[in-house]
């Protein structure tokens, strides 16, 4: 008999001897193929758990979830020989907090399915509930499924992303064209389901087919008009946790570069006390940030710039007291390499991928930076996806 002592990166339990056992969590015991539940195992919140690929850890309590989030990050850092000086408690988003989700709609012989992929498959689970997302978002998704069902032919699959904003839900549909005759019916649905905007994305680009109100979000105390399908952190509380970490990491710096800035998640709160230069490759997001900063009278300068192909060079970086990075999952290797060659002494790094973060952290360490503080964030509850914020200092 063996005891499960930790979770691997994909959520499988691992024994002291290194055996991987799917469906187990720390504290469970394994005797051959027999699994005995430990003290940290709980009843899954959703009837689809174990089939739906959206969640991997609904059978684990909060103690295990928090340890998994921090362990994923610390394990990746240990692999490159880095130990943070301070590790803050893990922030976990509660159930029913997701304000943004991407579902798939598929018509088959039994009707139109709505859900996520089956674990390890392209098949779609037909969800009857989703305790991960906000109840109003799930309700709106189901109403959209009913409204769009007549437009889907057999085997037709449509992507449907819903984002909850201050003015209602922003909806982005992919692989679906909506004729003008459908707009009237959707307008009636928009009022019932609090839909602010419906846009479609095809090879020709994104087209707004219906807008009742301009979807808007608030970063700090500044309101931003969100572009169709624009990026937003998955939960409001997760976003707040990351913002608080970034603000603490930046401190009283007067000049800040916010790279991979999006629509201003960090740039706008930072601009309450600092001059901010913000850059990103997403033109619409940068435009939304620039317009919001101008309306609010904030000291934010923006640039539409592909930081993978055209990172800020050392001479440009030397103008700033702090550099904030929030790259996609690929990380910011090229940009971090130029930071390493600059005179910058403080970097605040936000990441959604522990592995690329550890790679970037190693580059900074080799340039004389130390990892002063780390904030693990688990806003994708019951999932193996983790996020973090970290502060690097160079004496």
């Amino acid at each position: 008999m063996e005891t499960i002592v930790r979770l691997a990166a994909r959520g499988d339990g691992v024994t002291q001897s290194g055996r991987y056992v799917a469906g187990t969590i720390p504290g469970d015991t394994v005797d051959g193929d027999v699994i005995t539940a430990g003290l940290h195992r709980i009843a899954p919140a959703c009837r689809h758990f174990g089939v739906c690929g959206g969640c991997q850890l609904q059978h684990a309590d909060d103690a295990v979830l928090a340890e998994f989030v921090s362990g994923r990050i610390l394990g990746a850092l240990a692999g490159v020989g880095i130990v943070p000086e301070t590790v803050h408690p893990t922030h976990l988003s509660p159930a029913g907090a997701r304000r943004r989700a991407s579902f798939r709609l598929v018509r088959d012989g039994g009707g139109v399915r709505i859900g996520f992929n089956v674990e390890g498959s392209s098949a779609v689970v037909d969800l009857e509930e989703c305790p991960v997302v906000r109840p109003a978002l799930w309700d709106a998704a189901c109403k959209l499924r009913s409204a769009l069902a007549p437009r889907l032919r057999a085997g037709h699959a449509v992507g449907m992303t819903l984002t909850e904003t201050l003015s209602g839900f922003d909806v982005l549909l992919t692989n679906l064209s909506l004729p003008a005759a459908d707009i009237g019916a959707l307008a009636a649905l928009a009022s019932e389901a609090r839909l602010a905007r419906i846009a479609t994305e095809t090879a020709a680009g994104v087209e707004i087919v219906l807008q009742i109100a301009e979807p808007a979000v608030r970063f700090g105390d500044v309101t931003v008009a969100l572009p169709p399908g624009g990026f937003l952190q998955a939960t409001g509380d997760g976003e707040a946790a990351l913002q608080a970490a970034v603000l603490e990491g930046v401190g009283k710096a007067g000049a800040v570069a916010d790279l991979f800035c999006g629509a201003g998640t960090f740039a706008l709160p930072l601009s309450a006390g600092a001059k901010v230069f913000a850059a990103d490759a997403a033109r619409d997001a940068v435009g939304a940030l620039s317009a919001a900063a101008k309306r609010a009278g904030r000291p934010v300068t923006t640039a539409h710039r592909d930081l993978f192909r055209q990172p800020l060079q050392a001479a440009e970086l030397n103008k700033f007291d702090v550099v904030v990075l929030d790259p996609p999952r690929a990380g910011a290797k090229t940009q971090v390499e130029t930071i390493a060659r600059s005179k910058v002494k403080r970097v605040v790094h936000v990441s959604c991928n522990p592995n690329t973060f550890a790679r970037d952290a190693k580059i900074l360490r080799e340039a004389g930076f130390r990892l002063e503080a780390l904030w693990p964030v688990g806003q994708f509850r019951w999932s193996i996806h983790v996020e973090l914020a970290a502060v690097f200092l160079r004496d």
Side-chain angles (χ1 to χ4, degrees):
M1 179 181 294
E2 292 188 277
T3 300
I4 302 297
V5 295
R6 65 180 180 88
L7 290 174
R10 302 298 301 175
D12 291 337
V14 185
T15 66
Q16 188 69 49
S17 66
R19 177 188 173 193
Y20 285 64
V21 185
T24 61
I25 60 171
D28 291 351
T29 56
V30 181
D31 189 359
D33 294 329
V34 178
I35 299 170
T36 302
L39 295 177
H40 295 289
R41 180 177 285 269
I42 61 174
C46 178
R47 73 190 74 179
H48 302 290
F49 178 67
V51 178
C52 175
C55 295
Q56 295 80 34
L57 297 172
Q58 282 193 11
H59 56 317
D61 66 11
D62 279 11
V64 169
L65 295 178
E67 179 63 27
F68 174 77
V69 173
S70 62
R72 279 282 290 116
I73 302 163
L74 294 174
L77 287 170
V80 295
I82 297 176
V83 178
E85 294 175 9
T86 300
V87 179
H88 292 274
T90 299
H91 174 88
L92 289 178
S93 291
R98 284 279 298 275
R99 60 181 178 178
R100 176 178 172 83
S102 296
F103 300 99
R104 292 184 67 207
L105 300 177
V106 179
R107 175 173 288 285
D108 59 19
V112 175
R113 295 172 173 264
I114 180 172
F116 305 113
N117 285 1
V118 174
E119 186 72 37
S121 168
S122 60
V124 175
V125 179
D126 191 16
L127 297 181
E128 297 181 35
E129 62 180 344
C130 186
V132 170
V133 303
R134 291 175 61 82
L137 189 150
W138 176 243
D139 180 63
C142 290
K143 289 175 178 175
L144 272 166
R145 185 252 302 263
S146 298
L148 297 173
R151 282 62 181 173
L152 272 66
R153 63 187 182 276
H156 190 181
V158 172
M160 184 173 72
T161 298
L162 289 88
T163 303
E164 186 173 23
T165 74
L166 297 172
S167 15
F169 290 101
D170 185 30
V171 180
L172 180 64
L173 304 172
T174 59
N175 196 31
L176 181 68
S177 297
L178 292 174
D182 289 346
I183 304 305
L186 288 173
L189 174 65
S191 176
E192 179 186 352
R194 197 171 168 259
L195 307 181
R197 177 173 62 199
I198 300 176
T200 57
E201 184 176 26
T202 64
V206 175
E207 178 186 3
I208 297 174
V209 297
L210 177 68
Q211 182 162 304
I212 306 300
E214 187 171 58
V217 294
R218 189 172 291 117
F219 298 136
D221 56 0
V222 179
T223 300
V224 183
L226 193 70
F231 175 79
L232 191 65
Q233 293 289 345
T235 67
D237 65 278
E239 176 182 272
L242 292 169
Q243 287 172 333
V246 169
L247 287 167
E248 182 175 336
V250 167
K252 297 182 179 180
V256 180
D258 181 10
L259 308 182
F260 307 96
C261 63
T265 305
F266 304 116
L268 289 169
L270 287 167
S271 70
K275 292 182 179 180
V276 180
F277 169 79
D280 200 294
R283 185 185 299 274
D284 289 347
V286 170
L289 165 57
S290 180
K294 185 176 181 180
R295 287 194 302 269
R298 291 298 181 83
V300 178
T301 303
T302 60
H304 172 233
R305 183 163 171 170
D306 185 339
L307 297 168
F308 291 105
R309 297 183 179 182
Q310 191 185 3
L312 266 69
Q313 298 300 311
E316 298 173 280
L317 292 164
N318 291 341
K319 304 172 186 176
F320 303 107
D321 303 315
V322 185
V323 174
V324 175
L325 300 169
D326 183 16
R329 292 190 61 79
K333 181 176 182 289
T334 305
Q335 185 62 79
V336 168
E337 287 172 341
T338 67
I339 292 172
R341 296 193 294 269
S342 75
K343 297 178 182 178
V344 171
K345 296 186 181 300
R346 181 181 291 260
V347 174
V348 181
H349 196 323
V350 178
S351 175
C352 60
N353 185 335
N355 295 328
T356 57
F357 169 71
R359 178 203 64 202
D360 294 347
K362 181 181 179 182
I363 296 170
L364 291 174
R365 183 196 60 185
E366 291 172 347
F369 285 89
R370 54 189 173 85
L371 178 47
E372 182 196 46
L374 173 72
W375 288 263
V377 176
Q379 65 172 320
F380 291 88
R381 187 175 184 84
W382 300 319
S383 159
I384 57 174
H385 298 293
V386 307
E387 306 210 11
L388 66 97
V391 177
F392 294 86
L393 298 180
R394 177 161 58 182
D395 298 326

